[in-house]
């Protein structure tokens, strides 16, 4: 995704089961695209993640 985003842009991921999109989020965090290893992240159910360039 890094090559598609300009500095300051972001994308969002929300993990939930179909039909649970409007339920309360249990977790929420922001990551900088250059500062994380995707293999070391665990995204649990009902977690909102914003990935920023």
């Amino acid at each position: 995704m890094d090559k598609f985003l300009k500095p300051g842009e972001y994308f969002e991921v929300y993990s939930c089961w179909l039909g649970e999109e409007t339920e309360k989020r249990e977790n929420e965090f922001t990551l900088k695209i250059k500062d994380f290893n995707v293999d070391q992240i665990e995204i649990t159910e009902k977690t909102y993640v914003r990935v920023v360039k």
Side-chain angles (χ1 to χ4, degrees):
M1 291 301 298
D2 187 36
K3 68 181 180 178
F4 298 108
L5 297 176
K6 296 176 185 168
E9 292 184 331
Y10 62 90
F11 67 92
E12 302 168 324
V13 178
Y14 182 62
S15 65
C16 66
W17 292 99
L18 184 62
E20 294 182 343
E21 297 88 351
T22 60
E23 292 183 16
K24 184 179 178 194
R25 298 173 181 168
E26 293 180 4
N27 297 300
E28 183 173 326
F29 55 93
T30 300
L31 299 170
K32 290 187 178 181
I33 201 163
K34 294 282 189 177
D35 294 341
F36 72 92
N37 180 342
V38 72
D39 295 327
Q40 296 177 340
I41 296 176
E42 180 179 334
I43 300 174
T44 57
E45 198 175 314
K46 295 184 185 174
T47 298
Y48 167 83
V49 181
R50 177 182 287 193
V51 181
V52 181
K53 179 161 184 176

